[in-house]
Amino acid sequence: MRVGILTSGGDAPGMNAAIRAAVRCGTGLDLEMVGIRRGFAGLVDGDLIPLDNRTVGGIIEHGGTILRSARSEAFLTQAGRQSALDTVESSGLSGLVIIGGDGSLKGAHWLDTHGVPSIGIPASIDNDIYGTGMAIGTDTALNTVVESLNRIRDTAISHGRVFVVEVMGRTSGYIALMGGLAGGAEIVLIPEIPISLDRVATLVKQGQNKGKLHSIIVVAEGFCPKGSPKEQNGSAGQAVNNFLNENKSIEPRLTILGHLQRGGSPSAFDRILGCRLGGKAVQLLKEGKAGVAVGLSREKIIAVPLEKMGQKSENIDLQIYDLVYKIAS
């Protein structure tokens, strides 16, 4: 068997660990491993490279992906998808391991239903993928957010100010919620629970009345204030900051963490998760099983049908949301 591996969508720390494990476990199963560079774009263009145990040496500690990643508009077209199928046939690929987020796993499902046995590995710092408790990259991103909040709090305390910190999460508030809890935020704003900006200002003032001289508000980038249009000018963090700035009794400062959350050496958790999922993926292909994504559920590796990708993740726990505000009081 000849198996191709690609990484697609936004990079996530731990992708290299998954690549390394898939290659070395695959080699141990007498599989010939091939890397596809630049995700689905490379599959469309036929950009393939051989992978062996030495090729993937010394990469487990690095963030990003040695295979690089890209968002492919071509793969969304009929012609592009046919080119991808042609690449699979001309290269003699017997199966694919596709590492990426929700959109990437939907692409894996399409390939699987069109005759290319495919296994998906969830990698997304947003942790918004159905069927897995944790995706590769989430834990590292959380650690980055918490470290940033620790540093911001030093300044917030010194100057007695409100800091608005925007983190990633277009459709899921997981990073904001868990990062806010671990980082001691007073307020967390997530897409799943819209509240009005008037309510945010009231919460800040209530804290001030209790003697809190500083506050940290963590905002997921996909947060939309209650009563506001879905499409807004500027970022969610900017909208919150601007509204509070109009209130003379509140002096906010805005920090947008942005792509800082994507990079850096993966945490031990993400390295271990990448290894476990990468090894399981090639094992399933060797056994003739495909059409699934491997994920983590209660410390066990499970297989979730690719056809379920796109369903809403269940990783937001509203009890934790309530806990943030109980502790902040």
Side-chain angles (χ1 to χ4, degrees), residues 96-169:
L96 292 174
V97 174
I98 296 173
I99 307 170
D102 187 63
S104 303
L105 300 186
K106 289 179 182 176
H109 181 232
W110 185 91
L111 288 164
D112 190 77
T113 58
H114 286 75
V116 185
S118 300
I119 301 287
I121 296 180
S124 167
I125 68 169
D126 291 348
N127 204 33
D128 58 351
I129 301 174
Y130 177 84
T132 185
M134 288 290 280
I136 291 172
T138 303
D139 185 69
T140 306
L142 277 175
N143 286 324
T144 299
V145 169
V146 171
E147 181 181 355
S148 299
L149 293 180
N150 290 343
R151 294 171 182 268
I152 288 169
R153 184 174 294 281
D154 289 344
T155 298
I157 293 173
S158 297
H159 292 273
R161 285 191 178 132
V162 174
F163 269 79
V164 178
V165 183
E166 181 183 296
V167 301
M168 286 185 169

Side-chain angles (χ1 to χ4, degrees), residues 79-293:
R81 290 188 167 184
Q82 185 57 54
S83 293
L85 295 176
D86 292 343
T87 296
V88 171
E89 183 177 3
S90 63
S91 303
L93 297 179
S94 305
L96 292 174
V97 174
I98 296 173
I99 307 170
D102 187 63
S104 303
L105 300 186
K106 289 179 182 176
H109 181 232
W110 185 91
L111 288 164
D112 190 77
T113 58
H114 286 75
V116 185
S118 300
I119 301 287
I121 296 180
S124 167
I125 68 169
D126 291 348
N127 204 33
D128 58 351
I129 301 174
Y130 177 84
T132 185
M134 288 290 280
I136 291 172
T138 303
D139 185 69
T140 306
L142 277 175
N143 286 324
T144 299
V145 169
V146 171
E147 181 181 355
S148 299
L149 293 180
N150 290 343
R151 294 171 182 268
I152 288 169
R153 184 174 294 281
D154 289 344
T155 298
I157 293 173
S158 297
H159 292 273
R161 285 191 178 132
V162 174
F163 269 79
V164 178
V165 183
E166 181 183 296
V167 301
M168 286 185 169
R170 286 179 298 171
T171 61
S172 170
Y174 188 89
I175 291 181
L177 179 57
M178 296 303 194
L181 177 64
E186 280 70 31
I187 299 172
V188 171
L189 305 176
I190 58 177
E192 292 84 354
I193 304 179
I195 68 174
S196 70
L197 294 180
D198 284 323
R199 177 59 180 162
V200 175
T202 297
L203 289 171
V204 173
K205 290 176 182 178
Q206 286 176 348
Q208 292 174 336
N209 292 337
K210 293 177 181 179
K212 278 184 172 288
L213 301 180
H214 70 278
S215 295
I216 292 182
I217 303 172
V218 178
V219 186
E221 63 180 324
F223 169 72
C224 182
K226 187 175 182 179
S228 300
K230 290 292 183 181
E231 299 297 328
Q232 302 182 81
N233 293 325
S235 70
Q238 187 72 61
V240 174
N241 187 77
N242 289 347
F243 184 88
L244 295 179
N245 198 43
E246 293 171 0
N247 188 311
K248 301 306 180 184
S249 63
I250 301 174
E251 188 178 1
R253 292 291 185 272
L254 173 65
T255 299
I256 300 177
L257 296 185
H259 286 84
L260 282 174
Q261 298 156 87
R262 285 200 184 280
S265 180
S267 66
F269 182 93
D270 278 326
R271 297 184 197 194
I272 293 167
L273 182 61
C275 289
R276 294 180 71 187
L277 297 184
K280 186 64 173 180
V282 292
Q283 178 189 331
L284 290 175
L285 283 176
K286 178 68 174 181
E287 294 172 353
K289 301 172 184 176
V292 298

